[in-house]
Structure formats: C-alpha cells, structure tokens
C-alpha cells in the first residue's frame, strides 16, 4: 500500500457499530494504517439502524455505548491521526430489507450520541442537557422510549 500512492489520495474509515468494540484491536488497526502511510483515519459509529433487521425502536444505550467505545479508541490513539467520527444512522439494515428504526423514533438517540461525542463522555449533566433540548422529562437510556 505504501508504495502504491493510495495513502496520499484517501483517508480510510474504520466502521464498527457494536456496543463492545475491541478497543485494543482498533488501536492496533489504526497503527497498521499509519505504518502503511495513511496520515489521517476516520471512525464510523451509529446512532440507529445497526442492531437488527426488523428493529422498530432505537435502544439508546446500545448506541451510546458504541460512542463511548470509540471515544476510548480516540483517547488511546495519536492526536494527529483521527480526522473525525462519522455518526451514521442507517434506514435499512441491508439493501434487501424493509425500513428499520425510522428517524423520528431515533432523534433522542441522535441527541444523546452527539452530546456524548461533543462532551467526551456521558454524565448526568449531559443527560439533563439532552432532556432540556428535546423537551423531555425522563430520558430512558436502557429501555425502549415511548
């Protein structure tokens, strides 16, 4: 790869939507990309649509944990290599499936994930901020919102 010139033309994106990603494995993968000559790398997480083919409601806790895992990878990586995090929201689990987790039911998850990434973590203060922004009195993270 390093001799091909590709590292000067593109920036790889490392995707993982799990709530328990292999942090050490991602750090090692990032280092492999650096050794190949890639100066910048992107991470990709998800705020919805990545937990099941027929999922109707968004489980915020799963996606929040995914963001927190990526923040761990970022904190263990060289500061100059991470270009950004693409926060994805899939409408279909795959190209042959029906729609899943439509955007309106996932807005609380989007707000929680964005605030967690912006603040470098999740706390009671972040939760209260999201509740205020969305006009909610009780944000539920580990159960399905009604």
């Amino acid at each position: 790869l390093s001799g091909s010139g590709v590292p000067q033309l593109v920036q790889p994106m490392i995707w993982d939507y799990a709530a328990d990603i292999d942090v050490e494995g991602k750090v090692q993968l990032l280092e492999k990309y650096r050794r190949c000559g890639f100066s910048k790398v992107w991470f990709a997480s998800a705020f919805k649509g990545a937990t099941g083919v027929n999922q109707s409601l968004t489980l915020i806790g799963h996606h929040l944990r995914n963001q927190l895992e990526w923040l761990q990878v970022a904190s263990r990586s060289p500061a100059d290599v991470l270009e950004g995090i693409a926060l994805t929201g899939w409408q279909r689990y795959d190209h042959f499936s029906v729609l899943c987790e439509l955007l309106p039911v996932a807005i609380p998850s989007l707000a929680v994930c964005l605030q967690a990434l912006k603040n470098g973590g999740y706390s009671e203060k972040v939760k209260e901020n999201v509740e205020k922004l969305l006009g909610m009195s009780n944000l539920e993270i580990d159960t399905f919102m009604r």
Side-chain angles (χ1 to χ4, degrees):
L1 268 176
S2 56
S4 70
V6 170
Q8 288 71 43
L9 301 173
V10 299
Q11 295 176 340
M13 184 172 285
I14 304 172
W15 306 74
D16 199 328
Y17 307 139
D20 59 347
I21 66 176
D22 177 6
V23 172
E24 183 59 34
K26 295 295 185 269
V27 171
Q28 290 173 6
L29 180 59
L30 189 66
E31 187 52 41
K32 286 181 185 180
Y33 279 127
R34 284 192 65 157
R35 284 195 309 269
C36 289
F38 292 97
S39 60
K40 298 289 184 183
V41 174
W42 288 79
F43 297 158
S45 63
F47 74 91
K48 76 173 197 79
T51 55
V53 66
N54 58 359
Q55 192 75 23
S56 297
L57 301 174
T58 304
L59 188 55
I60 298 170
H62 172 91
H63 299 290
L64 172 59
R65 286 187 290 279
N66 179 243
Q67 310 315 310
L68 298 177
E69 294 281 296
W70 278 115
L71 286 171
Q72 283 187 44
V73 176
S75 72
R76 295 182 55 196
S77 304
D80 63 335
V81 72
L82 179 60
E83 185 69 11
I85 298 178
L87 180 58
T88 67
W90 296 98
Q91 200 68 21
R92 293 184 193 273
Y93 193 73
D94 64 44
H95 295 290
F96 304 106
S97 299
V98 298
L99 296 176
C100 65
E101 294 182 61
L102 301 179
L103 181 59
V105 299
I107 288 176
S109 181
L110 175 60
V112 166
C113 292
L114 285 171
Q115 287 294 310
L117 290 172
K118 178 183 174 187
N119 290 285
Y122 188 74
S123 65
E124 188 61 33
K125 182 180 177 187
V126 170
K127 179 184 179 209
E128 290 170 3
N129 188 38
V130 171
E131 289 173 337
K132 181 180 176 186
L133 288 169
L134 297 178
M136 301 174 73
S137 60
N138 187 23
L139 181 65
E140 300 171 28
I141 297 297
D142 290 314
T143 59
F144 290 110
M145 298 278 302
R146 290 188 243 153

